[in-house]
Amino acid sequence: MTPTLRRKLEALAERREELERMLADPAVIGDAAQFRRYSREFAQLEPVATALAAEAQAKCDLEAAQAMRNDPALRDDAAMRELADDEIASATARLEMLEAELMAHLIPRDPRDDGDIYLEVRAGTGGDEAAIFAGDLFRMYARYAERQGWRVEVESANPGEHGGFKEVIALVQGAGAYSKLKFESGTHRVQRVPETESQGRIHTSAATVAIIPVEPEGEPIELNPADLKVDTFRSSGAGGQHVNKTDSAIRITHLPSGVVVESQTERSQHANRDKAMKRLAAMLAEAQAAKAAAAVAETRKLQVGSGDRSQRIRTYNFPQGRITDHRVEGLTLYDLPNVLTGDLDALISRLQQEHQADELARLTANA
């Protein structure tokens, strides 16, 4: 580890000690928002302090083992020398592991990682089969969310004529939702024989996915009312006779960007407007973040949360039971049925590891 990176770690440890003192300050304790913010930062830095303490202990163990190995009094004691060699090897291995862990702590943390997301799935090329595949993808993510204990609330849905969805948008609420699903944005391709195919030919269809982080409360993006065009219409979803009596659904168009959002799941126009405004703010904030990220790195293997649906990221091949992620060399699983039932852990962990490796390479290069 370079001296520059070591100084960064020491700065993080000093910040943790500073936060520990501030959290004991009555003035901070009396300010709930500030206390919560400092507590969250302290918890994020705690693993750094733990790893640094473990590293210091491993260094002490290594020095003690080396001293024992070089002790002239033990020169003729083969058993003690062997014990010392074992301790040296063990402490060296621990230090290598702890250095990798500490390097990982230096990777800039996305403050949105713990937050909720909007999941958007749309049918692409392939007609009815694309809509059916979009439905398969949405169910896959919904089942994964259920495994994680997250809450999924459909905000709008446009069903396909023969099943699935032409478009479905849902709010996914749960700790770490963005950190786990942020690499899913892009074009997903399916290769299979549609039920309507009488000749048994394999068709290729596609659906697009966008993962948009929900803007944290207290950090709203500024929206100029003059830039918004608000339309009302009658809801077409659940709601009994109510949907036929009032124009409670809301459609908001952000004129400068052309972004359009709708909400019609609530009974009141006010509630639908509130939902639509929150999603609009999230979409505009994500567009700004993607633009800033593109300015820093023109080429990225993993388009983190950019909502860029132009890149084909994954293929689901039903005849072979294969799923391949095209962004990571060698990332092919022959476990398609289980993946579609929400078993995404193998895919997600590999993508997270790849992202971490890329960030570490950049960090080391700039040190």
Side-chain angles (χ1 to χ4, degrees):
M1 185 182 298
T2 66
T4 300
L5 295 179
R6 178 61 62 178
R7 284 194 292 273
K8 289 181 179 180
L9 280 172
E10 292 170 354
L12 291 177
E14 291 171 2
R15 174 60 177 168
R16 176 192 169 277
E17 292 177 0
E18 180 185 12
L19 287 168
E20 189 172 26
R21 290 192 297 270
M22 288 192 294
L23 287 170
D25 186 338
V28 174
I29 295 174
D31 186 334
Q34 190 176 51
F35 184 81
R36 185 166 55 250
R37 186 168 61 253
Y38 287 162
S39 296
R40 189 181 300 117
E41 185 182 356
F42 180 84
Q44 291 170 356
L45 292 176
E46 186 67 19
V48 178
T50 301
L52 283 171
E55 183 190 49
Q57 182 60 54
K59 286 180 177 178
C60 289
D61 294 344
L62 178 60
E63 291 174 1
Q66 289 173 334
M68 183 170 67
R69 182 69 177 81
N70 297 325
D71 189 343
L74 302 177
R75 184 174 302 164
D76 299 325
D77 192 332
M80 292 301 294
R81 289 202 311 274
E82 182 178 355
L83 177 62
D85 287 339
D86 289 343
E87 287 294 324
I88 290 172
S90 176
T92 301
R94 285 204 308 277
L95 282 171
E96 291 176 355
M97 180 186 68
L98 286 165
E99 179 168 326
E101 181 180 339
L102 286 167
M103 289 283 287
H105 287 309
L106 288 174
I107 296 174
R109 189 176 184 278
D110 192 329
R112 304 172 297 177
D113 273 354
D114 291 333
D116 306 331
I117 62 167
Y118 291 106
L119 165 66
E120 302 183 354
V121 185
R122 294 178 175 87
T125 56
D128 291 336
E129 173 64 9
I132 293 171
F133 178 52
D136 293 339
L137 287 177
F138 178 73
R139 283 188 293 274
M140 176 183 77
Y141 292 124
R143 288 167 179 166
Y144 177 72
E146 183 180 356
R147 289 170 180 240
Q148 302 298 311
W150 301 338
R151 180 170 176 262
V152 178
E153 179 183 351
V154 175
E155 296 219 334
S156 69
N158 184 4
E161 294 179 5
H162 294 87
F165 298 99
K166 294 179 182 178
E167 176 187 273
V168 57
I169 300 170
L171 173 63
V172 181
Q173 296 174 300
Y178 183 68
S179 68
K180 291 183 179 295
L181 294 180
K182 62 184 177 181
F183 303 115
E184 295 302 302
S185 291
T187 297
H188 296 241
R189 184 178 69 169
V190 62
Q191 295 172 327
R192 64 183 173 189
V193 179
E195 294 181 4
T196 55
E197 171 56 57
S198 59
Q199 302 298 321
R201 292 174 297 185
I202 296 175
H203 288 222
T204 298
S205 304
T208 62
V209 173
I211 303 296
I212 301 171
V214 175
E215 279 297 278
E217 290 187 11
E219 301 177 26
I221 188 170
E222 293 295 329
L223 292 174
N224 185 349
D227 292 337
L228 305 179
K229 179 175 180 286
V230 181
D231 299 307
T232 60
F233 58 98
R234 292 191 179 182
S235 300
S236 58
Q241 295 180 353
H242 171 81
V243 299
N244 298 319
K245 293 180 179 179
T246 61
D247 291 340
S248 61
I250 289 288
R251 179 185 298 111
I252 300 177
T253 303
H254 184 248
L255 299 175
S257 65
V259 173
V260 179
V261 295
E262 293 182 359
S263 180
Q264 57 177 308
T265 56
E266 301 298 324
R267 288 181 174 271
S268 76
Q269 188 179 112
H270 176 77
N272 279 322
R273 181 188 176 93
D274 183 56
K275 274 191 169 184
M277 288 292 288
K278 286 181 178 178
R279 188 150 62 88
L280 176 61
M283 293 176 71
L284 294 176
E286 179 61 7
Q288 290 180 2
K291 185 177 180 180
V296 175
E298 293 183 2
T299 58
R300 304 170 71 191
K301 279 194 292 186
L302 302 178
Q303 299 187 25
V304 183
S306 67
D308 185 350
R309 293 175 293 249
S310 63
Q311 182 195 25
R312 186 191 71 188
I313 64 168
R314 194 173 295 155
T315 294
Y316 304 73
N317 185 294
F318 276 69
Q320 298 177 14
R322 169 175 57 83
I323 181 168
T324 300
D325 196 292
H326 304 290
R327 297 164 295 178
V328 180
E329 185 177 356
L331 182 43
T332 295
L333 303 176
Y334 289 88
D335 194 26
L336 183 54
N338 285 328
V339 169
L340 289 175
T341 59
D343 188 3
L344 295 172
D345 290 331
L347 276 172
I348 288 172
S349 62
R350 180 66 184 279
L351 291 169
Q352 289 177 325
Q353 290 168 10
E354 191 73 16
H355 173 65
Q356 186 179 78
D358 288 346
E359 292 298 313
L360 281 174
R362 275 191 283 271
L363 188 67
T364 305
N366 295 330

